[in-house]
């Protein structure tokens, strides 16, 4: 079979007798000529590998793969170290925020206490009897004469409908 026939060219088979195939004489001569040419011999040699060459090629490929694997491992180790550093930075930032929140909570507590003290002082200034009497607001309103209730009654507008009855 010619190289041309090996590469996919169609052959014109004259006939088949048992296991033998009969081709045209021109095709047979062309095949003979191709096989004798130095290019065909060179191509046949280039496709043939010896076992030693194959072993050397495989060893070289293994070395290259090992180097690539080691590079990947080094790269992954660097990435892991970088991520650990990032995690530590985030932990530090989180701790700083927690400390700031604690300071804020203390400031709010102190401000609330100051506000309560200011309200207590304001109440003492207006009505000193409120601090002395531990009674509830309802009892203190009933017992003490309230000047504000008199003012409220006078300031109310009188309407005509209560007089219609």
């Amino acid at each position: 079979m010619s190289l041309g026939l090996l590469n996919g060219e169609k052959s014109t088979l004259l006939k088949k007798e048992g296991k033998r195939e009969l081709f045209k004489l021109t095709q047979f001569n062309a095949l003979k000529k191709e096989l004798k040419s130095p290019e065909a011999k060179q191509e046949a040699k280039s496709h043939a590998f010896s076992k030693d060459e194959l072993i050397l090629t495989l060893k070289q490929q293994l070395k290259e793969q090992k180097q690539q694997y080691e590079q990947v491992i080094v790269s992954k180790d660097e990435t892991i170290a970088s991520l650990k550093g990032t995690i530590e930075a985030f932990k530090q930032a989180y701790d700083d925020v927690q400390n700031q929140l604690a300071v804020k909570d203390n400031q709010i507590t102190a401000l609330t206490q100051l506000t309560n003290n200011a309200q207590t002082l304001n109440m003492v200034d207006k009505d000193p009897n409120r601090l002395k009497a531990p009674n509830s607001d309802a009892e203190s309103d009933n017992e003490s004469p309230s000047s504000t209730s008199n003012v409220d009654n006078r300031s109310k507008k009188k309407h005509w409908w209560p007089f219609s009855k």
Side-chain angles (χ1 to χ4, degrees), residues 113-124:
Q113 188 176 9
L114 287 173
T115 305
N116 287 340
N117 290 344
Q119 287 177 346
T120 305
L121 286 174
N122 192 19
M123 285 179 16
V124 169

Side-chain angles (χ1 to χ4, degrees), residues 6 22 26 35 37 39 57 71 75-76 79 82 85 88 96 99 110 112 114 133 136 150 155:
L6 288 174
L22 300 176
T26 55
L35 290 174
S37 71
E39 293 172 1
T57 304
Q71 289 174 352
S75 172
K76 286 183 179 181
T79 303
S82 171
E88 289 301 319
D96 290 345
N99 291 338
T112 303
L114 287 173
S136 68
N150 292 338
S155 66

Side-chain angles (χ1 to χ4, degrees), residues 6 26 28 32-33 37 39 42-44 80 88-89 91-93 103 122 125 138 156 160 162:
L6 288 174
T26 55
F28 179 75
K32 225 187 204 184
K33 189 176 183 182
S37 71
E39 293 172 1
Q42 191 70 352
E43 190 175 331
I80 289 171
E88 289 301 319
K91 281 182 181 178
Q92 182 63 37
V103 168
N122 192 19
D125 287 345
K156 287 185 181 178
W160 62 269

Side-chain angles (χ1 to χ4, degrees), residues 34-49:
E34 281 184 46
L35 290 174
K36 287 183 180 180
S37 71
E39 293 172 1
K41 289 180 182 178
Q42 191 70 352
E43 190 175 331
K45 284 183 181 178
S46 68
H47 290 300
F49 289 108

Side-chain angles (χ1 to χ4, degrees), residues 148-163:
T148 57
S149 63
N150 292 338
V151 172
D152 287 343
N153 287 339
R154 282 186 253 141
S155 66
K156 287 185 181 178
K157 186 176 179 183
K158 295 187 178 184
H159 295 285
W160 62 269
W161 56 83
F163 297 113

